[in-house]
Amino acid sequence: MSKDQGWQGMSGFLRTIKPLIEKSPFLASLYRHWRDERELHRQPSSHQLGFQFVGNPLMESGQFEPVETALIGRLMAHVPAVINIGANIGYYCCLALQQGKPVVAFEPMPTNQRYLLRNVVSNGWGDQFECFPMALSSSKGVIEIFGGGTGASLVKGWAGQHFSTLVPMSTLDSVLGARFENEGPLVIVDIEGAEFGMLQGASLLLKAQVKPIWFVEISVAEHQPEGVDVNPHLLATFEQFWQCGYEALTAEPQSRRVSREEVTRIEATGVDTLGVHNFVFVDPARSTVLFPSLA
């Protein structure tokens, strides 16, 4: 029996007993470890965007977040570098590096780091890439992160996930300081509900002389822990940007401005009128350049 046939046979058996495995945190952890080891032994495939990639099937096939991918790809043309907070397995890192943009990545999950580094090295981009294996929040230390894969979160109970891993934690100010004070990078943030804490430790970048472009996932009601209807830090997260002079826009094909009044009303009523969970925060002087339809 070949190694590939062995993997396939084991895969079929585990799929059969998966409902039983998921009832045991220990067995579920072993299953995830086996699954990731199997995937990490596959050869990267050629992605339609022009790079080699292995990992999430939707990312490999080019079906992952098509609207976000198109918008982020367009925004990259206006920046000298990219900071990816919650880099996961490196999809947006590879997109940036493929466009010749140096990347600084933050990813706390050990398995995600292995995919991330493999995807970068498979394309020969190691000399344009920095990776900090840590979570970002408002303080330094060690913290629990819950769940895994693309949904790992510092928020306990996020998307119903409760198994946890200990990871190092720091602040963006501590790691980067004023390094990007005059560069205006694109900052991509996808950290599953932990945005507010991260921003509390990122005052230097928020207040940089040349404002970065921020592309941030902020969930309004989706994936909240049991008993939580609306993101408890929704307004406070937007306020971090408004207080530093940014304009908030929806990240969609026809972007629109987001007002303080609308976010205040959503937090008070629980009625989501935004309809999206990705947002762009920019210097108002650049908004119509980046989004001509807003003019």
Side-chain angles (χ1 to χ4, degrees), residues 82-85 102-106 129-132 176 179-180:
V82 172
I83 301 171
N84 194 177
I85 302 172
V103 172
V104 177
F106 293 86
F129 178 76
E130 297 174 67
C131 182
F132 293 92
L176 296 183
R179 173 176 168 182
F180 289 94

Side-chain angles (χ1 to χ4, degrees), residues 48 67 127 130 147 191 223:
Q48 65 184 34
V67 173
D127 60 346
E130 297 174 67
I191 52 177
H223 302 315

Side-chain angles (χ1 to χ4, degrees), residues 104-160:
V104 177
F106 293 86
E107 175 51 52
M109 295 297 287
T111 299
N112 288 347
Q113 293 163 20
R114 293 176 65 191
Y115 280 109
L116 170 61
L117 297 179
R118 187 173 184 205
N119 284 325
V120 169
V121 170
S122 294
N123 291 281
W125 292 325
D127 60 346
Q128 292 293 304
F129 178 76
E130 297 174 67
C131 182
F132 293 92
M134 61 181 64
L136 292 176
S137 192
S138 58
S139 59
K140 306 173 189 177
V142 178
I143 194 169
E144 281 186 295
I145 189 166
F146 299 90
T150 59
S153 174
L154 298 181
V155 180
K156 186 175 182 178
W158 185 261

Side-chain angles (χ1 to χ4, degrees), residues 2 29 293:
S2 70
S29 178
S293 62

Side-chain angles (χ1 to χ4, degrees), residues 10-79:
M10 180 64 75
S11 178
F13 172 70
L14 289 175
R15 278 197 299 269
T16 301
I17 65 172
K18 189 177 179 182
L20 296 175
I21 290 174
E22 290 178 339
K23 293 181 180 179
S24 165
F26 175 71
L27 292 177
S29 178
L30 288 179
Y31 171 78
R32 285 189 295 273
H33 176 75
W34 172 85
R35 179 197 61 199
D36 291 330
E37 287 300 317
R38 180 194 63 182
E39 288 296 297
L40 281 162
H41 281 81
R42 287 197 299 111
Q43 289 299 312
S45 57
S46 296
H47 195 279
Q48 65 184 34
L49 294 176
F51 50 79
Q52 298 294 305
F53 197 83
V54 65
N56 182 298
L58 290 177
M59 294 180 186
E60 286 188 27
S61 66
Q63 299 176 58
F64 180 74
E65 298 185 347
V67 173
E68 292 85 348
T69 298
L71 178 52
I72 287 173
R74 183 166 62 80
L75 293 174
M76 284 178 183
H78 298 269
V79 301

